Coordinates of all heavy atoms in Angstrom, one line a residue:
M1 N 3.2 -12.6 -180.9 CA 2.5 -11.3 -181.1 C 3.5 -10.2 -181.3 O 4.6 -10.2 -180.6 CB 1.6 -11.0 -179.9 CG 0.9 -9.6 -180.1 SD -0.1 -9.0 -178.7 CE -1.0 -10.4 -178.2
A2 N 3.2 -9.2 -182.2 CA 4.1 -8.1 -182.4 C 4.1 -7.2 -181.1 O 3.1 -7.0 -180.5 CB 3.6 -7.3 -183.6
E3 N 5.4 -6.7 -180.8 CA 5.5 -5.8 -179.7 C 5.1 -4.4 -179.9 O 5.3 -3.9 -181.0 CB 7.0 -5.8 -179.3 CG 7.6 -7.1 -178.8 CD 7.0 -7.5 -177.4 OE1 7.0 -6.6 -176.5 OE2 6.5 -8.6 -177.3
L4 N 4.5 -3.8 -178.9 CA 4.1 -2.4 -179.1 C 5.3 -1.5 -179.3 O 6.4 -1.7 -178.6 CB 3.3 -1.9 -177.8 CG 1.9 -2.4 -177.7 CD1 1.3 -2.0 -176.4 CD2 1.0 -1.9 -178.9
L5 N 5.2 -0.5 -180.1 CA 6.3 0.4 -180.3 C 6.3 1.5 -179.3 O 5.2 2.0 -178.9 CB 6.2 1.1 -181.7 CG 6.3 0.1 -182.9 CD1 6.1 0.9 -184.2 CD2 7.7 -0.6 -182.9
S6 N 7.4 2.0 -178.9 CA 7.5 3.1 -177.9 C 7.2 4.4 -178.7 O 7.2 4.5 -180.0 CB 8.9 3.3 -177.3 OG 9.8 3.6 -178.4
D7 N 6.9 5.5 -178.0 CA 6.6 6.8 -178.7 C 7.8 7.2 -179.5 O 7.7 7.7 -180.6 CB 6.3 7.9 -177.6 CG 5.0 7.7 -176.9 OD1 4.2 6.9 -177.5 OD2 4.8 8.3 -175.9
T8 N 9.0 6.9 -179.0 CA 10.2 7.3 -179.7 C 10.3 6.5 -181.0 O 10.7 7.0 -182.1 CB 11.5 7.1 -178.9 OG1 11.3 7.8 -177.7 CG2 12.7 7.4 -179.6
E9 N 10.0 5.2 -180.9 CA 10.1 4.3 -182.1 C 9.0 4.8 -183.1 O 9.3 4.8 -184.4 CB 9.8 2.9 -181.7 CG 11.0 2.3 -181.0 CD 10.7 0.9 -180.3 OE1 9.5 0.8 -179.8 OE2 11.6 0.1 -180.3
V10 N 7.8 5.2 -182.7 CA 6.8 5.6 -183.6 C 7.2 6.9 -184.3 O 7.1 7.0 -185.5 CB 5.5 5.8 -182.9 CG1 4.4 6.5 -183.8 CG2 4.9 4.5 -182.3
A11 N 7.8 7.8 -183.5 CA 8.2 9.1 -184.1 C 9.3 8.8 -185.1 O 9.3 9.4 -186.2 CB 8.7 10.0 -183.0
A12 N 10.2 7.9 -184.8 CA 11.3 7.6 -185.8 C 10.7 7.0 -187.1 O 11.1 7.3 -188.2 CB 12.3 6.6 -185.1
A13 N 9.7 6.1 -186.9 CA 9.1 5.4 -188.1 C 8.4 6.5 -189.0 O 8.5 6.4 -190.2 CB 8.1 4.4 -187.6
L14 N 7.8 7.5 -188.3 CA 7.1 8.5 -189.1 C 8.0 9.4 -189.9 O 7.5 10.0 -190.9 CB 6.1 9.3 -188.2 CG 4.9 8.5 -187.6 CD1 4.1 9.4 -186.6 CD2 4.0 8.0 -188.8
T15 N 9.2 9.4 -189.5 CA 10.2 10.3 -190.3 C 10.3 9.6 -191.7 O 10.6 10.3 -192.7 CB 11.5 10.4 -189.7 OG1 12.1 9.1 -189.6 CG2 11.4 11.0 -188.3
E16 N 10.1 8.3 -191.8 CA 10.2 7.6 -193.1 C 8.8 7.5 -193.8 O 8.7 7.0 -194.9 CB 10.7 6.2 -192.9 CG 12.0 6.1 -192.2 CD 13.1 6.7 -193.0 OE1 13.2 6.5 -194.2 OE2 13.9 7.5 -192.4
L17 N 7.8 8.0 -193.1 CA 6.4 7.9 -193.6 C 5.8 9.3 -193.5 O 4.8 9.6 -192.8 CB 5.6 7.0 -192.8 CG 6.0 5.5 -192.8 CD1 5.3 4.7 -191.7 CD2 5.6 4.9 -194.2
P18 N 6.3 10.3 -194.3 CA 5.9 11.7 -194.1 C 4.5 12.0 -194.5 O 4.0 13.0 -194.0 CB 6.9 12.4 -195.1 CG 7.3 11.4 -196.0 CD 7.4 10.1 -195.3
Q19 N 3.8 11.1 -195.1 CA 2.4 11.3 -195.5 C 1.5 10.8 -194.4 O 0.2 11.0 -194.5 CB 2.1 10.6 -196.8 CG 3.1 10.8 -197.8 CD 2.6 11.6 -199.0 OE1 1.7 12.5 -198.9 NE2 3.0 11.2 -200.2
W20 N 2.0 10.2 -193.3 CA 1.2 9.6 -192.3 C 1.4 10.5 -191.0 O 2.4 11.2 -190.8 CB 1.7 8.2 -192.0 CG 1.5 7.3 -193.1 CD1 2.1 7.2 -194.3 CD2 0.4 6.3 -193.2 NE1 1.6 6.2 -195.1 CE2 0.5 5.6 -194.4 CE3 -0.6 5.9 -192.3 CZ2 -0.4 4.6 -194.8 CZ3 -1.5 4.9 -192.7 CH2 -1.3 4.3 -193.9
R21 N 0.3 10.4 -190.2 CA 0.4 11.1 -188.9 C -0.1 10.2 -187.8 O -0.9 9.3 -188.1 CB -0.5 12.4 -189.0 CG -2.0 12.1 -189.2 CD -2.8 13.4 -189.2 NE -4.2 13.0 -189.6 CZ -5.2 12.5 -188.9 NH1 -4.9 12.3 -187.6 NH2 -6.4 12.2 -189.4
R22 N 0.4 10.5 -186.6 CA -0.1 9.6 -185.5 C -1.4 10.1 -185.0 O -1.6 11.3 -184.9 CB 0.9 9.6 -184.4 CG 0.5 8.7 -183.2 CD 1.6 8.5 -182.3 NE 1.1 7.4 -181.3 CZ 1.9 6.9 -180.4 NH1 3.2 7.3 -180.3 NH2 1.4 6.0 -179.6
D23 N -2.3 9.2 -184.6 CA -3.6 9.6 -184.0 C -3.8 8.6 -182.9 O -4.4 7.5 -183.1 CB -4.7 9.5 -185.0 CG -6.1 9.9 -184.4 OD1 -6.1 10.4 -183.3 OD2 -7.1 9.7 -185.1
G24 N -3.3 8.9 -181.7 CA -3.4 7.9 -180.6 C -2.7 6.6 -180.8 O -1.4 6.6 -181.1
D25 N -3.4 5.6 -180.8 CA -2.8 4.2 -181.0 C -2.8 3.8 -182.5 O -2.7 2.6 -182.7 CB -3.7 3.2 -180.2 CG -3.4 3.3 -178.7 OD1 -2.4 3.9 -178.3 OD2 -4.3 3.0 -177.9
A26 N -2.9 4.8 -183.4 CA -2.9 4.5 -184.8 C -2.1 5.5 -185.6 O -1.7 6.5 -185.1 CB -4.4 4.5 -185.3
I27 N -1.8 5.1 -186.8 CA -1.2 6.1 -187.8 C -2.2 6.1 -188.9 O -2.9 5.1 -189.3 CB 0.2 5.7 -188.3 CG1 0.3 4.2 -188.8 CG2 1.2 5.9 -187.2 CD1 1.6 3.9 -189.4
V28 N -2.4 7.3 -189.5 CA -3.4 7.6 -190.4 C -2.9 8.3 -191.7 O -2.0 9.2 -191.5 CB -4.5 8.5 -189.8 CG1 -5.7 8.8 -190.8 CG2 -5.0 7.9 -188.5
R29 N -3.4 8.0 -192.8 CA -3.1 8.7 -194.1 C -4.3 8.9 -194.9 O -5.1 7.9 -195.1 CB -2.0 7.9 -194.9 CG -1.7 8.8 -196.2 CD -0.8 8.2 -197.1 NE -0.6 9.0 -198.3 CZ 0.0 8.8 -199.4 NH1 0.7 7.6 -199.5 NH2 0.1 9.6 -200.4
R30 N -4.5 10.1 -195.3 CA -5.7 10.4 -196.2 C -5.1 10.7 -197.6 O -4.2 11.4 -197.8 CB -6.4 11.6 -195.7 CG -7.8 11.8 -196.2 CD -8.5 13.0 -195.7 NE -8.0 14.2 -196.4 CZ -8.6 15.4 -196.4 NH1 -9.6 15.6 -195.6 NH2 -8.1 16.4 -197.0
L31 N -5.8 10.0 -198.6 CA -5.4 10.2 -200.0 C -6.5 10.7 -200.8 O -7.7 10.3 -200.6 CB -5.0 8.9 -200.6 CG -3.7 8.2 -200.2 CD1 -4.0 7.1 -199.2 CD2 -3.0 7.6 -201.4
E32 N -6.2 11.7 -201.7 CA -7.2 12.1 -202.7 C -6.9 11.4 -204.0 O -5.8 11.6 -204.6 CB -7.1 13.6 -202.9 CG -7.5 14.5 -201.7 CD -9.0 14.4 -201.5 OE1 -9.8 14.2 -202.4 OE2 -9.4 14.6 -200.3
C33 N -7.9 10.6 -204.5 CA -7.7 9.9 -205.8 C -8.3 10.8 -206.9 O -9.1 11.7 -206.6 CB -8.2 8.5 -205.7 SG -7.4 7.5 -204.5
S34 N -8.0 10.4 -208.2 CA -8.6 11.2 -209.3 C -10.1 11.0 -209.5 O -10.8 11.9 -209.8 CB -7.9 10.8 -210.6 OG -6.5 11.1 -210.4
T35 N -10.5 9.7 -209.3 CA -11.9 9.4 -209.5 C -12.3 8.4 -208.4 O -11.4 7.7 -207.8 CB -12.1 8.7 -210.9 OG1 -11.4 7.5 -210.9 CG2 -11.6 9.7 -212.0
F36 N -13.6 8.2 -208.3 CA -14.1 7.1 -207.4 C -13.6 5.8 -207.8 O -13.1 5.0 -206.9 CB -15.6 7.2 -207.3 CG -16.2 6.3 -206.3 CD1 -16.0 6.4 -205.0 CD2 -17.0 5.2 -206.7 CE1 -16.6 5.6 -204.0 CE2 -17.6 4.3 -205.8 CZ -17.4 4.5 -204.5
P37 N -13.6 5.4 -209.1 CA -13.1 4.1 -209.5 C -11.6 3.9 -209.1 O -11.1 2.9 -208.7 CB -13.3 4.0 -211.0 CG -14.5 4.9 -211.2 CD -14.4 6.0 -210.2
D38 N -10.9 5.1 -209.2 CA -9.4 5.0 -208.8 C -9.3 4.7 -207.3 O -8.4 4.0 -206.9 CB -8.7 6.3 -209.2 CG -8.4 6.5 -210.7 OD1 -8.6 5.5 -211.4 OD2 -8.0 7.6 -211.1
A39 N -10.2 5.3 -206.6 CA -10.1 5.1 -205.1 C -10.4 3.6 -204.8 O -9.7 3.0 -204.0 CB -11.2 6.0 -204.4
I40 N -11.4 3.1 -205.5 CA -11.8 1.7 -205.3 C -10.6 0.8 -205.7 O -10.3 -0.2 -205.1 CB -13.1 1.3 -206.0 CG1 -14.2 2.2 -205.4 CG2 -13.4 -0.2 -205.8 CD1 -14.4 2.1 -203.9
A41 N -10.0 1.1 -206.8 CA -8.9 0.3 -207.3 C -7.7 0.3 -206.3 O -7.1 -0.8 -206.1 CB -8.4 0.8 -208.7
L42 N -7.5 1.4 -205.7 CA -6.4 1.5 -204.7 C -6.8 0.6 -203.5 O -6.0 -0.1 -203.0 CB -6.2 3.0 -204.3 CG -5.2 3.1 -203.1 CD1 -3.8 2.6 -203.4 CD2 -5.2 4.6 -202.7
V43 N -8.0 0.8 -203.0 CA -8.5 0.0 -201.9 C -8.3 -1.5 -202.2 O -7.9 -2.3 -201.4 CB -9.9 0.3 -201.5 CG1 -10.5 -0.7 -200.6 CG2 -9.9 1.7 -200.9
D44 N -8.6 -1.9 -203.5 CA -8.5 -3.3 -203.9 C -7.1 -3.8 -203.8 O -6.8 -4.9 -203.3 CB -9.1 -3.5 -205.3 CG -9.1 -4.9 -205.7 OD1 -9.7 -5.7 -204.9 OD2 -8.5 -5.3 -206.7
R45 N -6.2 -2.9 -204.3 CA -4.7 -3.3 -204.2 C -4.3 -3.5 -202.7 O -3.6 -4.4 -202.4 CB -3.9 -2.3 -204.9 CG -4.1 -2.1 -206.4 CD -3.0 -1.4 -207.1 NE -2.9 0.0 -206.7 CZ -3.6 1.0 -207.2 NH1 -4.5 0.8 -208.1 NH2 -3.4 2.3 -206.8
V46 N -4.7 -2.5 -201.9 CA -4.4 -2.6 -200.5 C -5.0 -3.8 -199.8 O -4.4 -4.5 -199.0 CB -4.8 -1.3 -199.8 CG1 -4.6 -1.4 -198.3 CG2 -4.0 -0.1 -200.3
A47 N -6.2 -4.2 -200.2 CA -6.9 -5.3 -199.6 C -6.1 -6.6 -199.9 O -5.9 -7.4 -199.0 CB -8.3 -5.4 -200.2
V48 N -5.6 -6.7 -201.1 CA -4.8 -7.9 -201.5 C -3.6 -8.0 -200.7 O -3.2 -9.0 -200.1 CB -4.5 -7.9 -203.0 CG1 -3.6 -9.1 -203.4 CG2 -5.8 -8.1 -203.8
A49 N -2.9 -6.9 -200.6 CA -1.6 -6.8 -199.8 C -1.9 -7.1 -198.3 O -1.1 -7.8 -197.7 CB -1.0 -5.5 -200.0
A50 N -2.9 -6.5 -197.8 CA -3.3 -6.7 -196.4 C -3.6 -8.1 -196.1 O -3.2 -8.7 -195.1 CB -4.4 -5.8 -196.0
E51 N -4.4 -8.7 -197.0 CA -4.7 -10.1 -196.8 C -3.5 -11.0 -196.8 O -3.4 -12.0 -196.0 CB -5.8 -10.6 -197.9 CG -6.4 -11.9 -197.6 CD -7.4 -11.8 -196.4 OE1 -7.6 -10.7 -195.8 OE2 -7.9 -12.9 -196.0
S52 N -2.6 -10.7 -197.7 CA -1.4 -11.6 -197.8 C -0.5 -11.5 -196.6 O 0.2 -12.5 -196.2 CB -0.6 -11.2 -199.0 OG 0.0 -9.9 -198.8
R53 N -0.6 -10.4 -195.9 CA 0.3 -10.2 -194.7 C -0.6 -10.4 -193.4 O -0.1 -10.3 -192.3 CB 1.0 -8.9 -194.6 CG 0.1 -7.7 -194.7 CD 0.9 -6.3 -194.8 NE 1.8 -6.2 -195.9 CZ 3.0 -5.7 -195.7 NH1 3.4 -5.3 -194.6 NH2 3.8 -5.6 -196.8
N54 N -1.9 -10.7 -193.6 CA -2.8 -10.9 -192.4 C -2.7 -9.7 -191.5 O -2.7 -9.9 -190.3 CB -2.5 -12.2 -191.7 CG -3.7 -12.5 -190.7 OD1 -4.8 -12.2 -191.0 ND2 -3.3 -13.1 -189.6
H55 N -2.7 -8.5 -192.1 CA -2.7 -7.3 -191.2 C -3.5 -6.3 -192.0 O -3.1 -6.0 -193.2 CB -1.3 -6.8 -190.9 CG -1.3 -5.8 -189.8 ND1 -1.5 -6.2 -188.5 CD2 -1.0 -4.5 -189.8 CE1 -1.5 -5.1 -187.7 NE2 -1.2 -4.1 -188.5
H56 N -4.5 -5.8 -191.5 CA -5.5 -5.0 -192.3 C -5.7 -3.6 -191.7 O -5.9 -3.4 -190.5 CB -6.8 -5.8 -192.3 CG -6.7 -7.2 -192.7 ND1 -6.3 -8.2 -191.9 CD2 -6.9 -7.8 -193.9 CE1 -6.3 -9.3 -192.5 NE2 -6.7 -9.1 -193.8
P57 N -5.7 -2.6 -192.6 CA -6.0 -1.3 -192.2 C -7.5 -1.1 -192.0 O -8.3 -1.8 -192.6 CB -5.5 -0.4 -193.3 CG -5.7 -1.3 -194.5 CD -5.5 -2.7 -194.1
D58 N -7.9 -0.1 -191.2 CA -9.3 0.4 -191.3 C -9.3 1.3 -192.5 O -8.4 2.1 -192.7 CB -9.7 1.1 -190.0 CG -9.6 0.2 -188.8 OD1 -9.6 -1.0 -188.9 OD2 -9.4 0.7 -187.7
I59 N -10.4 1.3 -193.3 CA -10.5 2.1 -194.5 C -11.8 2.8 -194.5 O -12.9 2.2 -194.3 CB -10.4 1.1 -195.7 CG1 -9.1 0.3 -195.7 CG2 -10.4 2.0 -197.0 CD1 -9.0 -0.7 -196.8
D60 N -11.7 4.1 -194.8 CA -12.8 5.0 -194.9 C -12.8 5.6 -196.3 O -11.8 6.1 -196.8 CB -12.8 6.1 -193.9 CG -14.0 7.1 -194.0 OD1 -14.0 8.0 -194.9 OD2 -15.0 6.9 -193.3
I61 N -13.9 5.3 -197.1 CA -13.9 5.8 -198.5 C -15.1 6.8 -198.6 O -16.2 6.5 -198.3 CB -14.2 4.6 -199.5 CG1 -13.2 3.5 -199.3 CG2 -14.2 5.1 -200.9 CD1 -13.6 2.2 -200.0
R62 N -14.7 8.0 -199.0 CA -15.8 9.0 -199.3 C -15.5 9.7 -200.6 O -14.6 10.5 -200.8 CB -15.7 10.1 -198.2 CG -16.0 9.5 -196.8 CD -15.9 10.4 -195.7 NE -15.9 9.7 -194.4 CZ -16.6 10.1 -193.3 NH1 -17.2 11.3 -193.3 NH2 -16.5 9.4 -192.2
W63 N -16.3 9.2 -201.6 CA -16.1 9.7 -203.0 C -14.6 9.4 -203.4 O -14.2 8.2 -203.5 CB -16.5 11.1 -203.2 CG -16.4 11.6 -204.7 CD1 -16.6 10.8 -205.8 CD2 -16.2 12.9 -205.1 NE1 -16.5 11.5 -206.9 CE2 -16.3 12.9 -206.6 CE3 -16.1 14.1 -204.5 CZ2 -16.2 14.0 -207.3 CZ3 -15.9 15.3 -205.3 CH2 -15.9 15.2 -206.7
R64 N -13.8 10.4 -203.6 CA -12.4 10.2 -204.1 C -11.4 10.2 -203.0 O -10.2 10.0 -203.2 CB -12.0 11.3 -205.1 CG -12.9 11.4 -206.3 CD -12.5 12.5 -207.2 NE -12.5 13.9 -206.6 CZ -11.5 14.7 -206.6 NH1 -10.3 14.3 -207.1 NH2 -11.5 15.8 -206.0
T65 N -11.9 10.3 -201.7 CA -11.0 10.4 -200.6 C -11.0 9.1 -199.8 O -12.0 8.6 -199.4 CB -11.4 11.6 -199.6 OG1 -11.4 12.8 -200.3 CG2 -10.4 11.7 -198.4
V66 N -9.8 8.5 -199.7 CA -9.6 7.3 -199.0 C -8.7 7.6 -197.8 O -7.6 8.2 -197.9 CB -9.0 6.2 -199.8 CG1 -8.9 4.9 -199.1 CG2 -9.8 6.0 -201.1
T67 N -9.2 7.1 -196.6 CA -8.4 7.3 -195.4 C -8.0 5.9 -194.8 O -8.9 5.1 -194.6 CB -9.2 8.1 -194.3 OG1 -9.5 9.4 -194.8 CG2 -8.3 8.3 -193.1
F68 N -6.7 5.7 -194.7 CA -6.2 4.4 -194.1 C -5.8 4.7 -192.7 O -5.1 5.6 -192.4 CB -5.1 3.9 -194.9 CG -5.4 3.5 -196.3 CD1 -5.1 4.4 -197.4 CD2 -6.0 2.3 -196.6 CE1 -5.4 4.0 -198.7 CE2 -6.4 2.0 -197.9 CZ -6.0 2.8 -199.0
T69 N -6.3 3.8 -191.8 CA -5.9 3.9 -190.4 C -5.3 2.5 -190.0 O -5.9 1.5 -190.2 CB -7.1 4.2 -189.5 OG1 -7.7 5.4 -189.9 CG2 -6.7 4.3 -188.0
C70 N -4.0 2.6 -189.5 CA -3.3 1.3 -189.2 C -3.0 1.3 -187.7 O -2.5 2.2 -187.1 CB -2.0 1.3 -189.9 SG -2.1 1.2 -191.7
S71 N -3.4 0.2 -187.1 CA -3.2 -0.1 -185.7 C -3.3 -1.6 -185.5 O -4.0 -2.3 -186.3 CB -4.2 0.6 -184.8 OG -3.9 0.4 -183.4
T72 N -2.5 -2.1 -184.6 CA -2.6 -3.6 -184.4 C -3.6 -3.9 -183.3 O -3.3 -3.7 -182.1 CB -1.2 -4.1 -184.0 OG1 -0.3 -3.8 -185.0 CG2 -1.2 -5.7 -183.8
H73 N -4.7 -4.3 -183.7 CA -5.9 -4.4 -182.7 C -5.5 -5.5 -181.6 O -5.8 -5.3 -180.5 CB -7.1 -4.8 -183.5 CG -7.5 -3.9 -184.6 ND1 -7.6 -2.5 -184.4 CD2 -7.6 -4.1 -186.0 CE1 -7.9 -2.0 -185.6 NE2 -7.9 -2.9 -186.5
S74 N -4.8 -6.5 -182.0 CA -4.6 -7.6 -181.1 C -3.6 -7.2 -180.0 O -3.5 -7.7 -178.9 CB -4.0 -8.8 -181.8 OG -2.9 -8.5 -182.6
A75 N -2.8 -6.2 -180.3 CA -1.8 -5.6 -179.4 C -2.3 -4.4 -178.7 O -1.6 -3.9 -177.7 CB -0.4 -5.3 -180.1
G76 N -3.3 -3.8 -179.2 CA -3.9 -2.6 -178.6 C -3.1 -1.4 -178.8 O -3.1 -0.4 -178.0
G77 N -2.4 -1.4 -180.0 CA -1.6 -0.1 -180.3 C -0.8 -0.3 -181.6 O -1.1 -1.2 -182.4
L78 N 0.3 0.5 -181.7 CA 1.1 0.5 -182.9 C 2.3 -0.5 -182.7 O 3.0 -0.6 -181.7 CB 1.7 1.9 -183.1 CG 0.7 2.9 -183.7 CD1 1.1 4.3 -183.5 CD2 0.5 2.6 -185.1
T79 N 2.4 -1.3 -183.8 CA 3.5 -2.2 -183.9 C 4.2 -2.1 -185.2 O 3.8 -1.3 -186.1 CB 3.1 -3.7 -183.7 OG1 2.3 -4.0 -184.9 CG2 2.2 -3.9 -182.5
S80 N 5.3 -2.8 -185.4 CA 6.0 -2.8 -186.7 C 5.1 -3.2 -187.8 O 5.4 -2.8 -189.0 CB 7.3 -3.7 -186.6 OG 6.9 -5.0 -186.3
L81 N 4.1 -4.0 -187.5 CA 3.2 -4.5 -188.6 C 2.5 -3.3 -189.2 O 2.2 -3.2 -190.4 CB 2.2 -5.4 -188.0 CG 2.7 -6.8 -187.5 CD1 1.6 -7.5 -186.8 CD2 3.4 -7.6 -188.5
D82 N 2.2 -2.3 -188.4 CA 1.5 -1.1 -188.9 C 2.4 -0.2 -189.7 O 2.1 0.3 -190.8 CB 0.9 -0.3 -187.7 CG 0.0 -1.1 -186.9 OD1 -1.0 -1.7 -187.4 OD2 0.3 -1.3 -185.7
V83 N 3.7 -0.1 -189.3 CA 4.7 0.7 -190.0 C 4.9 0.0 -191.4 O 5.0 0.7 -192.4 CB 6.0 0.8 -189.2 CG1 7.1 1.4 -190.0 CG2 5.7 1.5 -187.9
D84 N 5.1 -1.3 -191.4 CA 5.3 -2.0 -192.6 C 4.1 -1.9 -193.6 O 4.3 -1.6 -194.8 CB 5.6 -3.5 -192.4 CG 6.9 -3.7 -191.6 OD1 7.7 -2.7 -191.5 OD2 7.1 -4.8 -191.0
L85 N 2.9 -2.0 -193.0 CA 1.7 -1.9 -193.9 C 1.6 -0.5 -194.4 O 1.3 -0.3 -195.6 CB 0.5 -2.2 -193.1 CG -0.9 -2.1 -193.8 CD1 -0.9 -3.0 -195.0 CD2 -2.0 -2.5 -192.9
A86 N 1.9 0.5 -193.7 CA 1.9 1.9 -194.1 C 2.8 2.1 -195.3 O 2.5 2.8 -196.3 CB 2.2 2.9 -193.0
G87 N 4.0 1.6 -195.2 CA 5.0 1.7 -196.3 C 4.5 1.0 -197.6 O 4.6 1.5 -198.7
E88 N 3.8 -0.1 -197.4 CA 3.2 -0.9 -198.5 C 2.1 0.0 -199.2 O 2.0 0.0 -200.4 CB 2.7 -2.2 -198.0 CG 2.0 -3.1 -199.1 CD 3.0 -3.8 -200.0 OE1 4.2 -4.0 -199.5 OE2 2.7 -4.1 -201.1
I89 N 1.3 0.6 -198.3 CA 0.2 1.4 -198.9 C 0.8 2.6 -199.7 O 0.3 2.9 -200.8 CB -0.7 1.9 -197.7 CG1 -1.5 0.7 -197.1 CG2 -1.7 3.0 -198.2 CD1 -2.3 1.1 -195.9
D90 N 1.8 3.2 -199.2 CA 2.5 4.3 -199.9 C 3.0 3.8 -201.3 O 2.8 4.4 -202.3 CB 3.7 4.8 -199.1 CG 3.2 5.7 -198.0 OD1 2.0 6.0 -197.9 OD2 4.1 6.1 -197.2
R91 N 3.6 2.6 -201.3 CA 4.0 2.0 -202.6 C 2.9 1.8 -203.5 O 2.9 2.1 -204.7 CB 4.8 0.8 -202.3 CG 6.2 1.0 -201.8 CD 7.1 -0.3 -201.7 NE 6.6 -1.2 -200.7 CZ 6.8 -1.1 -199.4 NH1 7.6 -0.1 -199.0 NH2 6.4 -2.0 -198.5
L92 N 1.8 1.2 -203.0 CA 0.6 0.9 -203.8 C -0.1 2.1 -204.3 O -0.7 2.1 -205.4 CB -0.3 0.0 -203.0 CG 0.2 -1.4 -202.7 CD1 -0.7 -2.1 -201.7 CD2 0.3 -2.2 -204.0
A93 N 0.1 3.2 -203.6 CA -0.5 4.5 -204.0 C 0.4 5.2 -205.0 O 0.0 6.2 -205.6 CB -0.7 5.4 -202.8
G94 N 1.5 4.6 -205.3 CA 2.4 5.2 -206.3 C 3.4 6.2 -205.8 O 3.9 7.0 -206.6
D95 N 3.6 6.3 -204.5 CA 4.5 7.3 -204.0 C 5.9 6.9 -204.2 O 6.2 5.7 -204.2 CB 4.2 7.4 -202.5 CG 2.9 8.1 -202.2 OD1 2.2 8.4 -203.2 OD2 2.6 8.3 -201.1
Ligands
LIG1 C1 -6.8 -13.4 -185.7 C2 -6.6 -12.0 -186.1 O1 -7.7 -11.4 -186.6 C3 -5.5 -11.9 -187.2 O2 -4.3 -12.4 -186.6 C4 -5.2 -10.5 -187.7 C5 -6.2 -10.0 -188.8 N1 -5.8 -8.7 -189.2 C6 -5.4 -7.8 -188.3 N2 -5.2 -6.5 -188.6 C7 -4.9 -5.6 -187.7 N3 -4.8 -4.3 -188.0 N4 -4.7 -5.9 -186.4 C8 -4.8 -7.2 -185.9 O3 -4.6 -7.5 -184.7 C9 -5.1 -8.2 -186.9 N5 -5.2 -9.5 -186.6

């Protein structure tokens, strides 16, 4: 099982993930897409990547706004799996 990250480790990771913010035991990013179909296409790309790594974000979709929340449920908090997934989401979003 992935080890929980310390507060210092989370803060350090977020310096490389400037679009993400910490929210308790999770990191969160909200994206505005151009259209609803674009939002769904992004979610689809993320779904494929998440499935391949067996680590899944919580996803909230409201019209063109998609919010990704990453936390390792089995560990009860933030692990390197969340940091890596967040970086993948940034890449898939075209950052
Ligand atoms: C059995 C367990 O559901 C799997 O190992 C995966 C599935 N995807 C997951 N995703 C996230 N975010 N946390 C998990 O603990 C997790 N566990």
Side-chain angles (χ1 to χ4, degrees):
M1 177 187 315
E3 293 291 311
L4 287 175
L5 298 176
S6 68
D7 290 344
T8 303
E9 289 169 323
V10 172
L14 289 175
T15 63
E16 304 296 318
L17 296 165
Q19 314 246 35
W20 293 75
R21 62 178 172 82
R22 182 167 188 173
D23 182 9
D25 288 337
I27 52 175
V28 183
R29 182 180 177 188
R30 198 181 78 164
L31 291 96
E32 292 290 335
C33 298
S34 301
T35 65
F36 184 66
D38 284 351
I40 299 303
L42 172 59
V43 168
D44 186 53
R45 296 194 298 274
V46 171
V48 171
E51 192 68 6
S52 71
R53 59 184 57 221
N54 192 32
H55 196 69
H56 307 81
D58 299 339
I59 303 173
D60 180 277
I61 305 168
R62 299 175 191 223
W63 187 26
R64 302 182 297 125
T65 302
V66 184
T67 301
F68 296 103
T69 301
C70 297
S71 185
T72 303
H73 305 304
S74 56
L78 283 163
T79 70
S80 60
L81 297 172
D82 303 304
V83 173
D84 295 345
L85 179 58
E88 178 79 22
I89 290 170
D90 285 352
R91 283 187 292 279
L92 292 169
D95 290 2

